[in-house]
Every structure is written in structure tokens, then in C-alpha cells.
């Protein structure tokens, strides 16, 4: 990893940690988030995966302002970190602990390869 890639990664982690801390209090059912990225195609390759505890919680967030709140949080924190994303909705995915347990025996390292 190049020095500039390490700096971008550090900024991403800092920004997304702030998102996670805020979302835990603001979005019911939200549990955690992670990201994947290919630095040779950054920022186009950035994918943020937001994980909810259950399918029901994710569905509730989709029907309320929960998903929009996550998009807003992620977009504003990335912007504050000088990471410019034109349409944040194209870079955010959603998943659940429940689906990972059922489909991948709770092995997130395997499941995240599909995101």
C-alpha cells in the first residue's frame, strides 16, 4: 500500500467511525459498518456496508428516515474528510447479521467478498 493510500485509509476509518458512533444512537437496529475499496480506482470503488441486526430492522429503516439518515451521515463525514463522492447512495450497501448467519454461518469475511 502506497503512502497516499494509507492516508486515505486512515481518513476513511476516522470518518466512518464517526458515522458508526452517531448511527448507533440515531438509527434503530443499526449495528456496525465496514468498507471495501480498491485504491487504484478510488473513490469510485468505495463501498460502505451498513449492518443491521435483523431483516425486520433493515426493513423498518428503509420505510422510515433511517436509510436517508445513514446516507446523509456518511456523505457529510466523507466530505469533512475531503473525500468527494458524487452520489453516496451508489456507494452504500445494507446487510444484516441475520442474513449472514443464515447464508454464511456468521462468517463476515466470506460474506463481504460479495459486496
Amino acid at each position: 500500500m502506497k503512502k497516499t493510500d494509507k492516508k486515505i485509509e486512515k481518513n476513511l476509518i476516522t470518518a466512518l467511525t464517526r458515522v458508526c458512533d452517531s448511527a448507533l444512537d440515531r438509527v434503530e437496529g443499526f449495528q456496525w459498518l465496514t468498507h471495501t475499496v480498491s485504491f487504484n480506482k478510488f473513490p469510485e470503488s468505495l463501498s460502505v456496508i451498513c449492518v443491521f441486526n435483523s431483516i425486520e430492522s433493515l426493513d423498518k429503516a428503509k420505510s422510515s428516515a433511517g436509510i436517508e439518515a445513514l446516507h446523509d451521515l456518511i456523505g457529510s463525514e466523507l466530505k469533512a474528510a475531503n473525500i468527494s463522492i458524487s452520489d453516496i447512495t451508489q456507494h452504500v450497501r445494507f446487510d444484516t447479521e441475520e442474513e449472514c448467519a443464515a447464508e454464511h454461518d456468521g462468517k463476515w469475511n466470506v460474506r463481504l467478498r460479495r459486496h
Side-chain angles (χ1 to χ4, degrees):
M1 184 182 285
K2 297 184 293 188
K3 188 176 181 177
T4 55
D5 297 343
K6 288 181 183 181
K7 184 176 180 179
I8 293 168
E9 180 71 2
K10 182 180 177 186
N11 288 343
L12 276 171
I13 290 170
T14 300
L16 294 176
T17 298
R18 287 194 299 263
V19 169
C20 189
D21 291 343
S22 182
L24 284 167
D25 294 330
R26 295 175 59 185
V27 182
E28 186 178 341
F30 173 82
Q31 297 294 296
W32 56 279
L33 60 76
T34 191
H35 71 283
T36 59
V37 66
S38 174
F39 289 105
N40 60 348
K41 295 180 183 176
F42 184 80
E44 295 82 16
S45 66
L46 177 63
S47 182
V48 178
I49 302 96
C50 299
V51 179
F52 284 75
N53 59 349
S54 67
I55 296 167
E56 181 181 354
S57 293
L58 178 55
D59 288 343
K60 284 181 184 178
K62 287 178 179 177
S63 65
S64 68
I67 298 302
E68 186 176 330
L70 282 168
H71 285 141
D72 291 346
L73 279 168
I74 294 166
S76 64
E77 288 296 341
L78 291 178
K79 185 176 180 179
N82 293 316
I83 298 170
S84 179
I85 303 287
S86 59
D87 183 3
I88 196 64
T89 63
Q90 299 299 310
H91 296 268
V92 180
R93 310 282 180 266
F94 299 95
D95 209 337
T96 68
E97 293 279 359
E98 185 178 10
E99 289 174 303
C100 181
E103 296 172 15
H104 293 94
D105 295 325
K107 296 177 183 166
W108 280 101
N109 59 331
V110 174
R111 187 167 182 84
L112 290 174
R113 289 186 201 138
R114 74 177 181 93
H115 287 285

